[in-house]
Amino acid sequence: MTVHHHPPDELLAAFAAGTIDLGQHVAIATHLVSCAKCRGAVRAMEHVGGAVLAALPPTAMSDGSFEALQRRLDEASGNSAAVRRRGRAFRDVPGLPDFLDSYPDSSWRWIAPKVHLRPIRLPEQSATRVFLLRSSPGTRMIEHTHTGFEMTCVLSGSFVHAGGWFGPGDFDFGDGAVDHDIRIDSAEDCICLVAMQGDLRLNGVIGRLLQPLIRM
Ligand SMILES: [Zn+2]
């Protein structure tokens, strides 16, 4: 798989430093599953961060912090009892990070002609919403703008917009200034993982009619 579009360096650095919320973490982790270049960059950043931490004087940890860390590691590695009970969520969608196995599964729902959405419910509060979006071949996404940012990871299929061609493994970062006019150009469905903050505003008459339907 050749990856052409990557997250900005600032986002990779924030991922490595653990300063982004869980929704954004899911999007970056999804990109890392298929991008060796960014995995290498994050590893190098974590190494630098680790060296800085090692040079700091030790501080006492609060009560229960070790147990909380162990719990999170268990969840991330799929070791917890809840994960073993539930089995693998999203097993029909390849290219997602393993830790999503432990999240509650959900089903596709119609949001617009030829477009289906499947929410990913995060186990903790996050200002960033995460969902899968499946669009049929030839779909022209309704022109839209967003008030916050939008991170898109292509899992299968492909799309084009003014910023170029995006295929499996590619990462698209859009902020409020971007006005997308997206066309699905693959012969099969295009499935993306999307992490989004703010509101999506659909433009035009049809967009305004559909607006109430895309609320999550
Ligand atoms: Zn990358």
Side-chain angles (χ1 to χ4, degrees):
M1 179 189 304
T2 311
V3 181
H4 302 93
H5 302 275
H6 307 270
D9 285 347
E10 308 85 80
L11 264 180
L12 292 179
F15 176 90
T19 55
I20 52 177
D21 69 24
L22 183 58
Q24 297 171 63
H25 184 98
V26 169
I28 303 291
T30 298
H31 177 72
L32 295 180
V33 167
S34 49
C35 184
K37 180 172 176 267
C38 288
R39 280 201 303 273
V42 166
R43 221 171 286 131
M45 290 167 182
E46 284 171 344
H47 186 72
V48 172
V52 172
L53 279 179
L56 291 173
T59 14
M61 292 170 78
S62 57
D63 286 349
S65 53
F66 178 76
E67 288 75 12
L69 174 66
Q70 191 61 47
R71 235 182 355 261
R72 291 195 68 164
L73 287 172
D74 277 349
E75 280 165 17
S77 64
N79 261 342
S80 70
V83 174
R84 286 195 295 276
R85 264 201 315 277
R86 199 180 289 127
R88 193 183 187 291
F90 303 103
R91 72 179 71 195
D92 54 316
V93 184
L96 294 174
D98 287 346
F99 66 83
L100 287 183
D101 293 2
S102 62
Y103 290 13
D105 209 348
S106 61
S107 45
W108 292 105
R109 60 187 199 223
W110 183 95
I111 54 159
K114 295 180 170 181
V115 184
H116 289 77
L117 180 148
R118 184 164 162 183
I120 295 180
R121 294 187 188 87
L122 304 176
E124 60 186 61
Q125 280 287 61
S126 170
T128 307
R129 290 167 292 168
V130 186
F131 53 90
L132 300 169
L133 199 62
R134 189 184 78 208
S135 314
S136 303
T139 307
R140 257 204 128 85
M141 294 290 287
I142 298 157
E143 198 176 89
H144 68 277
T145 49
H146 24 88
T147 57
F149 65 78
E150 184 181 77
M151 301 175 185
T152 304
C153 303
V154 184
L155 302 173
S156 58
S158 59
F159 64 79
V160 282
H161 65 57
W165 182 87
F166 293 76
D170 280 330
F171 186 97
D172 188 20
F173 184 76
D175 57 27
V178 179
D179 194 353
H180 285 308
D181 181 13
I182 300 173
R183 186 170 54 80
I184 306 301
D185 78 331
S186 50
E188 78 265 43
D189 282 355
C190 179
I191 300 179
C192 297
L193 178 137
V194 181
M196 182 196 286
Q197 267 188 21
D199 275 334
L200 193 67
R201 299 267 157 80
L202 301 180
N203 305 332
V205 176
I206 293 185
R208 283 196 293 277
L209 285 172
L210 288 172
Q211 186 79 55
L213 300 174
I214 63 157
R215 295 257 176 267
M216 290 192 293

